[in-house]
Amino acid sequence: MKSHYRVVVIGGGVVGASVLYHLAKLGWSDVCLIERKILTAGSSWHAAGGFHALNADPNIAALQAYTIDLLKQVEAESGQSIGMHMTGGLIVASTPDRWEWLQSAYRTFQSIGIEDCRLLTAEEAGALNPVMSTHGILGAMWADREGHVDTTGTVHAYAGAARKRGAEVIENNRVLELNQTADGWEVVTEQGTIHTEHVVNAAGLWAKQVGRMAGIELPVSPLNHHYLITDTIPEVAAQEKMLPLTADLEGFTYMRQDQKGMLLGIYEVNHEHWMMDGAPWEYGFELQQEDPDRIEHELRLGFERYPCLQDVGIKTWVNGAFTFSPDGNPLVGPVRGKKGYWCACAVMAGFLQGGGVGKSLAEWIIHGEPEEDVFGMDVARYGDYAGNKRYIKETTGQFYSRRFVMTYPNEQLPAGRPMKMAPAYDAMTSAGAQWGVSYGLEVPLLFAPEGFAETPSLKRSNAHEHVAEECHAVRRDCGLLDISGFSRFEISGPNARKWLDRILASRLPGPGRARLAPMIGETGRLKGDLTVFNWGDGRFWIMGSYYLRAWHMRWYHNHIEDGVTITDLSDKVVGFSLSGPKSREVLERAAEADVGALPFMGCAQMDVGLARAHVARLSVTGELGYEINVPAAHHIALRRSLLEAGADLGIREYGFYALNSLRLEKSFGIWSAEFTQGYTPGMTGMDRWIDWDKGDFIGRDAALAERDGNGPSRKLVTLEIEAVGADATGYEPIWSKGRRVGFVTSGGYGHTIGKSLAMALVEPDHETPGTDLSVHVVGVERAAKVIAASPYDPNGKAMRA
C-alpha cells in the first residue's frame, strides 16, 4: 500500500470493483480499492446474480445494457470465469391491469431502443418455461438479454481486470477515518494513512458509516431479502436448455435455474429492516436466520406457480441484507461541499447496474460529467430532509414491499409523508386539496369535493372532470395556485451579474425585469430551464424546479466565484400565482400598487395584503398572470387576501394536474420531460433564448457547434392524438409508416381545446405541422398529427393582455 493515490475506492463488492475497473480503463491507474475483509464480503457474495436490460428509465436501461455487454469483456480481460448464463427472461401478468401495464411497458421499451423483447400469450410463456403453471396468467413479456452470473466470479473479474490495468486492491484493511484536507482527503486505515484527491463510498452495507465519516447522512438502509435453492428437481433436470429467468409480479417472486434445481427469490410485503445504522464492522459472510413464517404468503404463491417445488427439498436458505434508497435507485455522484467525495452506494441490483454505475462515476470523476443523463440515480435528487431516520425507514420499506406491486402513474404513496408543508397546507386541505409530493414538500394536485379520492389508473382517472373545471376557471376567470413548490435562489454581491452572465446562456434582464434562462453544461446539454429576476437593487433571483434544489446548488457551488453569494430561499420564501383574464383585477384589489404598470415579464416589490411581496408578471398557463412571493410567515394571510379579493370574480384554487393541461395547450415544456440534461438547446427549442452575441458562457462552444453543424438529431413538436379514454404520459413510441421516428416526452388532455395532446422529440424531417404519425397510448396504437405549437392562443394575446 502506498501513501498516495489519486482515487481511493472504499468497498470490495461488485460496485466498488466496477468503479476501480472503469477508472483504470479510462487511464487513471494510480487508484486503489480498500476492502475491510476480502472481496465480496458483504452483499455481493449472496446476491442472486440476475440481470436484465429492461428499465422504464431509458438512461438507466442504457446503463444496464452496457453492463450486460461489458460482462463478457471483463471476463476475457481478467481470465476469470463469471459463470454467465444468457437464458432469456419472462415477466408474467395475471391481472387485467398488470397485463395492460405490460403491453404499455413493452412499447416504452421499444421507444427507448430495447428491441429484443416481445409480448407472449400465456401458452407461449408456458412453452418457454415448462415447469411454470400458466393458471391465471393473461400474458407475458419475453426479453432475450436476461440471465444470471456467478456473483463471486464477477467481482473477481472486475478486480482482476482493474489490476491488469495498474489498479491496486488492498484487502483486510478497514477504513477508520476520513478527514477532508485542502487538496483532497486523508484516509486513515488499519494499515496506515493514505492521502488522495478523491474518495469513493462504495461501501454497500457500510455506506452509512462511511458517509458519516465525512459528515454526510445518506438516505440508505439495509433490508433483509430471502431466496431459497432447492435440491435437484427431476422436471428441471429433464430440460434440454436452462429455464429462463422468470418474474411473477403478482406472486412477489422471481425464479431462475440453479444447477439442476431452482432458485426462488421473494420480495415479501412484510419487509424487515436490518442494522439501519450500518452493518457491524466484523460482519461479512454471515446471513440472518431464515423466517419462513414471515414470507408464508409469498412462498405459497411461488409453490403454486411452480408446482414441482412441492415435491423437493430445500438445499439452502439465504436471508441476507441489501442496501436500498427511498426510491430503490442507486445513490451516485459528488456531494456538494465535500469536494472529492463521491457516492456509489444503495445499488441494490449491483450485478445488473454495477457496470453502468462504475462507468458513469469514472467519467464523472475524470471528465467532469457522465456520458448519460444519470439524474435518476444522482445522490443530489435528495436533500438534507432525506437523512431523517423515520423517513428512511418508511420509504425504503415502502419501496421494498412494493418492489413487485403494481404502481400507477397517478398513485400517491404514503411513506414519509407529510414531511414538509407550506404554511397554508391545512387551509388548502380544508378547501379540498389533494396532495402530491416533490422533494419532501406537499404540493396540490387538484381541489375536489369532500370525500373524493382519486382512483389510481393507467388511463384518465375519476379526477378528470374536476381537473376540467379547474382549467375552465383559469381560462374564464382567475385561478389561484400554491407555488411554494418552486426553488428560489438569491444571487448577490459585487460580481453577481458577471457570474450570472457566465453561468446562464441567456441575455440577463434589466432592472425590474425577468427573463427565461437556459443553463447549459460544458458538453452543450441542458442543466436547467430557469427564470432569472433582476429586482433592481443588486439582487437577482433564479427560480426553477423545487426538486432540483440540491442538484442546482451543487452546480452553482462548483462554479462559484469571489464576490458572489448564493442563498437558497426555497423554504423561506413561498407564494401563490394568479392566472386568468381577471387576475389583474384581483391583484389590484389586494395590492397597494399600480399593478397595471407592471409589464409582461416585469417584476417589482409591492404590498399585497399585509405582506411585502416580490411580484412578477408571468404565467405558465398562457393567461394573464402574476407570481406573488412572500416570506413563509405571510403565506396563510396572502392566500386569504387573494381569495377575498377575488370572491366575486370567480377565483378558484387549482392544482398541478390542471397546470399540466394548461401548459400543454401552450406547448410549454417542463424539466424532467421536455428538458433534461440528456437533451440540448437545439433539440428542445431552448436555443431561442440563448444570447449568442454576449460573449463567453458555460457551454457556448458546444451550443455553437450544434447550431453551426448538422443540427440536433431530434426536434420538439406538439402532437394531437386521437386517443380514447387515455392520454400519453411519456416515452411512448412514435411511428411513421411502421418505422419508429421519435418518442413522447409528456402528454395529457387539453381541457380547453378538448383534445388529447402530447409533446414529443421526433426526427427533424417529421417536425412539420400536418405530418401524420401514430403513437401507442397504454399499449394501443392511436393516430396522431404534428400540429403548430401553442394550439391555445398561438399569438399569446391572453398572456400579454
Side-chain angles (χ1 to χ4, degrees):
M1 185 179 81
K2 300 186 300 184
S3 61
H4 290 78
Y5 293 91
R6 198 166 189 181
V7 183
V8 173
V9 179
I10 302 173
V14 65
V15 176
S18 173
V19 172
L20 187 76
Y21 166 75
H22 282 90
L23 288 167
K25 185 179 181 180
L26 291 178
W28 281 23
S29 59
D30 185 19
V31 295
C32 77
L33 180 153
I34 298 178
E35 164 55 41
R36 37 170 274 294
K37 283 199 171 182
I38 62 173
L39 294 178
T40 78
S43 296
S44 290
W45 74 271
H46 64 74
F51 62 81
H52 55 85
L54 305 181
N55 192 295
D57 183 323
N59 301 296
I60 293 178
L63 292 174
Q64 290 177 181
Y66 168 81
T67 301
I68 295 169
D69 290 337
L70 177 69
L71 288 170
K72 280 291 187 182
Q73 178 183 331
V74 171
E75 181 178 54
E77 282 190 39
S78 65
Q80 167 71 52
S81 172
I82 65 169
M84 187 175 190
H85 298 279
M86 189 73 80
T87 62
L90 286 168
I91 302 175
V92 301
S94 51
T95 67
D97 273 9
R98 180 73 76 178
W99 178 225
E100 192 170 56
W101 171 83
L102 206 55
Q103 293 173 79
S104 179
Y106 165 64
R107 297 302 177 181
T108 298
F109 296 141
Q110 281 188 317
S111 189
I112 62 181
I114 298 175
E115 305 287 357
D116 53 355
C117 58
R118 64 184 187 275
L119 295 173
L120 305 173
T121 65
E123 293 73 22
E124 290 171 328
L128 288 166
N129 188 343
V131 304
M132 177 181 69
S133 167
T134 59
H135 177 72
I137 293 177
L138 302 178
M141 184 164 65
W142 170 266
D144 292 338
R145 285 158 54 81
E146 295 200 4
H148 59 274
V149 293
D150 167 43
T151 57
T152 298
T154 300
V155 175
H156 282 276
Y158 276 122
R163 284 191 183 103
K164 287 188 174 183
R165 292 176 178 269
E168 189 174 348
V169 175
I170 304 163
E171 297 178 293
N172 298 304
N173 185 27
R174 180 161 73 90
V175 173
L176 304 174
E177 295 178 27
L178 293 176
N179 301 307
Q180 193 169 12
T181 65
D183 56 355
W185 291 85
E186 183 182 74
V187 183
V188 182
T189 79
E190 291 175 327
Q191 296 180 20
T193 298
I194 299 170
H195 298 273
T196 185
E197 185 179 348
H198 302 278
V199 169
V200 177
N201 179 354
L205 294 174
W206 297 267
K208 178 72 80 173
Q209 296 102 306
V210 175
R212 287 173 174 169
M213 288 179 184
I216 301 162
E217 196 65 33
L218 292 170
V220 298
S221 176
L223 284 95
N224 282 328
H225 177 66
H226 278 91
Y227 67 79
L228 61 87
I229 299 174
T230 71
D231 293 327
T232 295
I233 301 174
E235 293 90 335
V236 175
Q239 300 301 314
E240 294 183 0
K241 59 181 181 180
M242 291 195 80
L243 297 174
L245 188 70
T246 303
D248 177 12
L249 303 181
E250 270 64 53
F252 309 99
T253 63
Y254 60 88
M255 183 280 295
R256 70 166 175 85
Q257 186 170 331
D258 188 272
Q259 298 182 50
K260 295 182 180 180
M262 187 183 294
L263 181 154
L264 184 74
I266 297 161
Y267 277 100
E268 57 267 32
V269 175
N270 183 19
H271 62 264
E272 182 179 71
H273 286 84
W274 180 80
M275 297 294 177
M276 284 194 65
D277 291 315
W281 289 114
E282 66 275 10
Y283 183 82
F285 291 100
E286 299 84 357
L287 293 170
Q288 284 65 263
Q289 181 68 38
E290 67 269 19
D291 188 1
D293 290 342
R294 183 165 61 84
I295 60 174
E296 179 182 4
H297 173 65
E298 294 86 356
L299 276 176
R300 179 175 57 79
L301 294 176
F303 277 55
E304 289 174 355
R305 182 60 67 202
Y306 308 103
C308 59
L309 290 173
Q310 300 172 23
D311 301 318
V312 298
I314 297 173
K315 180 170 60 178
T316 305
W317 277 101
V318 172
N319 183 20
F322 295 89
T323 51
F324 291 79
S325 72
D327 63 5
N329 281 339
L331 298 174
V332 179
V335 177
R336 180 174 64 88
K338 304 291 182 180
K339 185 178 180 181
Y341 187 98
W342 303 81
C343 290
C345 47
V347 190
M348 64 101 178
F351 292 89
L352 170 61
Q353 298 177 343
V357 168
K359 172 181 183 291
S360 298
L361 192 65
E363 291 169 344
W364 216 332
I365 292 171
I366 294 172
H367 302 308
E369 189 174 31
E371 182 180 13
E372 304 290 340
D373 173 8
V374 296
F375 182 77
M377 59 184 186
D378 193 327
V379 66
R381 71 187 185 278
Y382 292 107
D384 292 341
Y385 71 91
N388 177 274
K389 190 169 185 177
R390 180 174 171 183
Y391 174 86
I392 295 169
K393 187 172 186 178
E394 289 187 13
T395 54
T396 56
Q398 175 178 264
F399 172 81
Y400 186 97
S401 291
R402 296 184 61 87
R403 180 81 170 92
F404 281 1
V405 172
M406 179 81 180
T407 299
Y408 296 87
N410 65 326
E411 190 169 9
Q412 295 299 317
L413 302 178
R417 298 177 60 191
M419 174 186 273
K420 296 190 287 183
M421 294 162 281
Y425 173 85
D426 285 343
M428 287 186 282
T429 300
S430 297
Q434 306 275 304
W435 298 95
V437 65
S438 172
Y439 198 71
L441 176 72
E442 298 294 314
V443 294
L445 301 178
L446 76 153
F447 287 76
E450 184 176 356
F452 173 83
E454 186 181 10
T455 302
S457 175
L458 293 172
K459 300 180 180 180
R460 294 174 193 157
S461 79
N462 58 332
H464 189 72
E465 293 307 317
H466 297 299
V467 175
E469 292 171 5
E470 291 180 1
C471 291
H472 297 324
V474 172
R475 296 282 190 231
R476 181 185 62 243
D477 298 312
C478 180
L480 182 69
L481 176 70
D482 173 31
I483 56 170
S484 302
F486 292 155
S487 68
R488 299 163 176 84
F489 294 94
E490 182 174 278
I491 316 300
S492 60
N495 291 329
R497 186 178 187 92
K498 175 186 173 185
W499 181 80
L500 283 168
D501 216 21
R502 185 175 72 87
I503 203 164
L504 301 176
S506 68
R507 181 163 55 91
L508 295 185
R513 303 293 298 207
R515 184 174 292 276
L516 299 180
M519 187 163 64
I520 308 172
E522 286 87 349
T523 60
R525 298 182 297 178
L526 293 172
K527 286 291 182 182
D529 65 320
L530 306 166
T531 307
V532 59
F533 302 81
N534 183 345
W535 296 108
D537 56 3
R539 294 177 305 119
F540 294 82
W541 281 10
I542 300 175
M543 287 184 67
S545 300
Y546 186 85
Y547 64 92
L548 296 177
R549 282 174 62 187
W551 190 68
H552 274 150
M553 186 56 119
R554 185 178 67 194
W555 181 257
Y556 302 150
H557 186 271
N558 288 345
H559 295 84
I560 195 66
E561 297 175 357
D562 291 339
V564 178
T565 300
I566 305 171
T567 306
D568 185 349
L569 303 174
S570 305
D571 290 330
K572 298 176 182 177
V573 177
V574 293
F576 287 92
S577 71
L578 291 170
S579 295
K582 298 179 183 177
S583 59
R584 179 183 289 122
E585 189 174 354
V586 172
L587 186 55
E588 284 175 334
R589 292 182 179 185
E592 298 293 334
D594 183 2
V595 174
L598 192 64
F600 179 60
M601 297 303 288
C603 61
Q605 295 183 69
M606 63 179 70
D607 293 334
V608 181
L610 292 173
R612 187 65 176 163
H614 286 78
V615 180
R617 185 183 158 188
L618 51 89
S619 169
V620 183
T621 66
E623 297 292 338
L624 171 67
Y626 301 86
E627 292 185 354
I628 306 159
N629 304 277
V630 296
H634 291 276
H635 192 241
I636 296 172
L638 175 64
R639 174 180 177 272
R640 188 178 300 158
S641 296
L642 295 172
L643 288 174
E644 289 174 354
D648 61 342
L649 296 174
I651 193 170
R652 175 170 179 154
E653 291 186 275
Y654 71 103
F656 282 89
Y657 281 169
L659 184 65
N660 186 61
S661 172
L662 297 166
R663 66 97 186 167
L664 283 169
E665 292 181 327
K666 290 297 297 176
S667 300
F668 290 162
I670 56 173
W671 193 266
S672 82
E674 285 69 47
F675 312 130
T676 78
Q677 61 178 333
Y679 306 152
T680 66
M683 294 169 66
T684 58
M686 290 293 282
D687 54 343
R688 67 184 181 275
W689 303 110
I690 293 177
D691 182 5
W692 301 103
D693 300 323
K694 74 172 185 175
D696 192 33
F697 56 86
I698 296 173
R700 183 176 187 271
D701 291 344
L704 279 170
E706 179 184 56
R707 185 194 72 174
D708 300 336
N710 295 325
S713 59
R714 292 281 192 273
K715 295 287 287 185
L716 188 65
V717 299
T718 302
L719 300 177
E720 178 185 323
I721 304 174
E722 295 180 14
V724 179
D727 303 294
T729 56
Y731 293 122
E732 292 89 349
I734 297 171
W735 308 91
S736 175
K737 299 177 182 178
R739 188 174 69 85
R740 183 163 48 86
V741 297
F743 60 92
V744 170
T745 53
S746 67
Y749 191 78
H751 288 280
T752 310
I753 64 175
K755 294 177 179 179
S756 183
L757 300 172
M759 298 183 73
L761 285 168
V762 299
E763 295 175 357
D765 56 352
H766 290 80
E767 68 171 321
T768 306
T771 301
D772 289 321
L773 302 167
S774 65
V775 180
H776 277 89
V777 179
V778 194
V780 179
E781 191 167 7
R782 303 290 187 183
K785 185 185 294 290
V786 178
I787 61 175
S790 188
Y792 171 78
D793 188 26
N795 295 321
K797 293 181 179 179
M799 196 162 50
R800 294 173 172 80

